[in-house]
Amino acid sequence: MSSSSAAFHFAERAGIDANVLRDVLDAGPMASVVSRGKAQKLTDDDLAAQAAIADVLKNARLAETAADAAGSAHPLITASRELYESAVADGRGELDMIGVIAVLQARADARAPGPWTLELTPFDDSDADRLRQGQRQELDARYGSGDHEPGAAPSVRGSGVASAVLRKLEEHARPLGARRLVLETGTAQPDAIRFYQREGYAPIPLFGSYAGSDVLVRFGRDLLVPR
């Protein structure tokens, strides 16, 4: 159903009549009673729950765990799970499963037409503290209680802000004489691992008290090498 939400989101942004999209999908070979019902709800902008996002998220996590255990590649399951988690983190868990369209809309709205304007703030800044607390609650719900470091707020994920923040950190570190930036995450956080690798960070050995850990991974990037 997340793919149906994505299709209607695209139609909205592209100026395509939702009724036309609904009719096209209804006439297709993959149409069913369920898909027709959800397409009508999306056309009517009716996000009242039949199957709530919070409940569907539980199923997505179970499916992803089973796929991991079987050694199966599951990019679409992961993408759906991430959307459901973002929706729950944004307070939309009680919406119908098609309500992930609200997450897609928020992400699209967050995309800035020009370069990001970023500034460093003190660690104890009140807005920064609220973001950390919300993110840690989300990560605790996903991975269990632990020492989690926050990332981008759910409403701006996919907008490029995380890459912009990473560039800002690199720019800040160079004048201080830093030659390498080192990032750490957990083996249970594949989203973070993919992001770091996409940004040009390569795995490096763990060191210090974390050497030999089977739940942590570190990445590094030489700051003297231009992007």
Side-chain angles (χ1 to χ4, degrees):
M1 288 299 106
S2 55
S3 60
S4 294
S5 297
F8 275 85
H9 170 62
F10 166 72
E12 175 192 10
R13 297 292 163 142
I16 299 171
D17 189 328
N19 292 282
V20 173
L21 175 59
R22 177 204 59 206
D23 292 343
V24 170
L25 295 176
D26 284 356
M30 299 297 290
S32 68
V33 172
V34 173
S35 70
R36 290 188 177 103
K38 297 301 185 185
Q40 188 61 56
K41 283 174 68 66
L42 284 163
T43 301
D44 297 337
D45 195 25
D46 174 14
L47 303 184
Q50 293 173 328
I53 290 174
D55 294 327
V56 177
L57 172 57
K58 298 175 185 177
N59 295 335
R61 286 172 172 163
L62 289 173
E64 189 172 36
T65 298
D68 282 335
S72 169
H74 48 79
L76 298 183
I77 295 175
T78 298
S80 294
R81 186 262 301 161
E82 290 171 350
L83 275 175
Y84 296 140
E85 285 181 336
S86 292
V88 170
D90 281 349
R92 299 185 173 103
E94 299 305 312
L95 297 180
D96 189 74
M97 60 193 300
I98 59 172
V100 293
I101 191 172
V103 175
L104 300 176
Q105 291 165 338
R107 289 182 180 179
D109 291 341
R111 292 181 184 274
W116 290 96
T117 300
L118 301 172
E119 61 182 34
L120 297 176
T121 60
F123 184 81
D124 58 358
D125 177 81
S126 59
D127 288 336
D129 185 63
R130 280 194 295 272
L131 174 62
R132 284 194 299 272
Q133 294 301 320
Q135 291 295 288
R136 284 179 178 141
Q137 289 176 10
E138 178 189 356
L139 291 171
D140 283 347
R142 186 187 303 184
Y143 303 115
S145 298
D147 184 17
H148 302 307
E149 289 301 321
S155 60
V156 297
R157 289 174 193 166
S159 68
V161 68
S163 296
V165 168
L166 195 53
R167 301 286 193 282
K168 187 71 172 181
L169 288 173
E170 293 172 354
E171 293 171 5
H172 182 71
R174 285 191 185 95
L176 299 177
R179 303 181 63 181
R180 168 181 277 191
L181 195 61
V182 174
L183 305 171
E184 180 182 284
T185 188
T187 56
Q189 294 173 276
D191 306 342
I193 291 173
R194 285 193 296 270
F195 170 68
Y196 294 155
Q197 292 176 324
R198 188 172 66 247
E199 293 297 320
Y201 284 74
I204 61 174
L206 293 169
F207 52 83
S209 60
Y210 294 112
S213 172
D214 59 356
V215 297
L216 294 176
V217 286
R218 278 200 174 117
F219 295 85
R221 182 178 180 276
D222 187 349
L223 296 181
L224 301 181
V225 178
R227 286 189 174 274

